[in-house]
Amino acid sequence: MKRSRDGSIIGRREFLKRGVLAGVGVSILPLAGAAGASVEAAPQVRRYSTLGRTGLKISDISFGSSRLSAGDEDLVRHAFDRGINYFDSADTYSGGESETTIGNALKGKRDKVFLTSKTMARADDSRGSMMTALETSLRRLQTDHVDVYFNHAVNDPARLKNPEWYEFVSQARSQGKIRFTGMSGHAGNLAECLDYAIDSGHCDVILCAHNFGQDPRFFQRFTRNFDMIAIQPELPRLMEKAKRHGVGVVVMKTLMGARLNDMRPYESGGATFSQAAFRWVLSNPNVDALIVTMTSRALIDEYLGASGARATAAQDLPLLNRYASLNGDSQCRPACNECADACPYGVPIADVMRTRMYARDYGDIRLARSEYAMLSGNAAACLSCDAKPCAGACPHGIATEVLLAATHRMLV
């Protein structure tokens, strides 16, 4: 028996339910104190984090909207009712429907939420074109400002060095159209881009890909037979650097392909793979929050079962290990970029494989085609190539020589 703060006696079940064990400082939590709690209580946001120097207090698990379509307003409202207050979008998501749906759903709630959007401001774009993109997003979102505006999917520091970007940011801030600015990225030159963004002093928030599959040290905890290479080995340093400079850190791509159905047979005791993956990410003290694409009320509730976690739970590592074993040799790691120089025709192999992930793993052909159309180059050359140049180019054993041409046919 235990005694509560008011002096009354409570049983062990109630003691655990109240979360009194949360402060013991262990690095691995018993499942009853983590995912199990979400079974007994309505799923909700259990922690709000300060997003760097912005001072914004955002839900630790927040709403990603890359697949949000017209008519999905109820989904956004459900997330809001569960306590999610940070809604991430971009001008290209669902051809603009994402922003419009968020705007419709959150009408009258603007003072209770934080809205972000993104645009792909290139190295030679003008401040005028950037302002046009921002103002289009504001109209769709039905607001006069966004809380964070990102230069989207940056993989070339030249895009951040464009003086027009800084002139645009200064003008938009002075007009009250944006509060803070940032950069997002998930490709091979991410480290170089993040270093520049942080050092420049002009970036308030970074949004980057981060999951358990990017850290070979994680796999070494329970495997000895994987031939792992460092995926974004600079990322831990960069996230720590961002935190030291007061730059907010939000992470994405946390589910390593999000093949959730593959894991359902192995989930038990109230723990799910997604919750395990989220707890791994949130256990990093340099991560303020994560965003994840939310496509159903049930998934929102499942995801929020990991909210409030600051450490992994007892059954998380076996679940993550199982996922890596099932998908490790079929899941492209875009940030790896080891295949970058394999194609003599300049096919951006990692980017093409990323769009294939949207189609095959996410099951969203519209998103995949939209992202594929925005690539600076595609895999058209693969249709007439004998595939010998890129055969064996992937250190993880992915047969890019087979998949690239098939991906092009599927997405054009």
Side-chain angles (χ1 to χ4, degrees), residues 369 372 382-383 402 404-412:
R369 284 175 174 159
Y372 192 71
C382 301
L383 299 178
V402 175
L404 291 171
T407 299
H408 180 76
R409 292 189 186 98
M410 175 175 58
L411 299 183
V412 294

Side-chain angles (χ1 to χ4, degrees), residues 202-223:
H202 297 294
C203 182
D204 301 305
V205 182
I206 59 173
L207 171 61
C208 58
H210 181 50
N211 61 60
F212 67 95
Q214 293 176 311
D215 185 356
R217 293 172 301 177
F218 168 79
F219 286 99
Q220 289 166 5
R221 296 181 186 181
F222 49 77
T223 67

Side-chain angles (χ1 to χ4, degrees), residues 314-326:
Q315 293 187 16
D316 287 350
L317 299 187
L319 280 173
L320 300 182
N321 181 23
R322 172 72 68 173
Y323 187 90
S325 298
L326 290 172

Side-chain angles (χ1 to χ4, degrees), residues 286-316:
N286 296 317
V287 170
D288 296 319
L290 65 88
I291 58 168
V292 58
T293 298
M294 297 184 175
T295 56
S296 72
R297 294 164 67 104
L299 280 177
I300 291 173
D301 290 352
E302 175 184 332
Y303 293 162
L304 290 181
S307 179
R310 304 305 298 269
T312 53
Q315 293 187 16
D316 287 350

Side-chain angles (χ1 to χ4, degrees), residues 339-404:
C339 58
D341 299 324
C343 178
Y345 307 107
V347 172
I349 297 175
D351 285 332
V352 173
M353 293 299 295
R354 175 173 57 84
T355 62
R356 181 181 183 275
M357 176 184 71
Y358 296 146
R360 294 301 191 190
D361 296 346
Y362 291 15
D364 193 330
I365 192 69
R366 183 170 72 164
L367 171 64
R369 284 175 174 159
S370 173
E371 292 290 318
Y372 192 71
M374 290 190 293
L375 297 181
S376 57
N378 61 30
C382 301
L383 299 178
S384 56
C385 179
D386 61 9
K388 291 181 180 179
C390 67
C394 176
H396 307 288
I398 298 174
T400 56
E401 66 274 15
V402 175
L403 298 175
L404 291 171

Side-chain angles (χ1 to χ4, degrees), residues 137-296:
S137 291
L138 294 179
R139 285 193 296 272
R140 290 171 178 159
L141 291 166
Q142 301 180 49
T143 184
D144 61 356
H145 74 280
V146 289
D147 296 285
V148 188
Y149 197 56
F150 292 90
N151 199 338
H152 186 31
V154 177
N155 196 40
D156 180 357
R159 288 176 54 190
L160 300 174
K161 296 176 181 179
N162 180 2
E164 292 290 291
W165 170 254
Y166 296 108
E167 291 293 333
F168 154 73
V169 167
S170 177
Q171 182 180 358
R173 273 182 159 160
S174 67
Q175 295 175 353
K177 295 176 181 177
I178 63 174
R179 296 177 64 190
F180 304 102
T181 187
M183 68 146 283
S184 72
H186 45 55
N189 297 325
L190 178 62
E192 183 182 2
C193 295
L194 288 177
D195 255 328
Y196 179 83
I198 297 168
D199 290 340
S200 73
H202 297 294
C203 182
D204 301 305
V205 182
I206 59 173
L207 171 61
C208 58
H210 181 50
N211 61 60
F212 67 95
Q214 293 176 311
D215 185 356
R217 293 172 301 177
F218 168 79
F219 286 99
Q220 289 166 5
R221 296 181 186 181
F222 49 77
T223 67
R224 294 294 181 270
N225 59 339
F226 285 177
D227 180 19
M228 295 297 298
I229 65 168
I231 309 301
Q232 293 292 3
E234 293 289 289
L235 199 53
R237 173 187 68 81
L238 289 161
M239 289 191 291
E240 190 279 330
K241 178 180 178 179
K243 181 69 71 172
R244 193 170 65 249
H245 284 74
V247 176
V249 177
V250 182
V251 295
M252 59 178 168
K253 302 290 189 292
T254 53
L255 293 174
M256 193 183 166
R259 300 184 66 91
L260 303 186
N261 289 336
D262 290 358
M263 294 299 297
R264 296 309 186 195
Y266 309 103
E267 297 170 344
S268 62
T272 70
F273 160 71
S274 67
Q275 292 167 353
F278 293 161
R279 281 191 287 269
W280 185 87
V281 167
L282 295 174
S283 69
N284 185 335
N286 296 317
V287 170
D288 296 319
L290 65 88
I291 58 168
V292 58
T293 298
M294 297 184 175
T295 56
S296 72

Side-chain angles (χ1 to χ4, degrees), residues 75-95:
L75 195 63
V76 179
R77 295 189 191 101
H78 183 75
F80 175 82
D81 290 342
R82 291 301 197 215
I84 292 175
N85 69 349
Y86 184 90
F87 294 83
D88 175 273
S89 191
D91 56 7
T92 57
Y93 289 169
S94 301

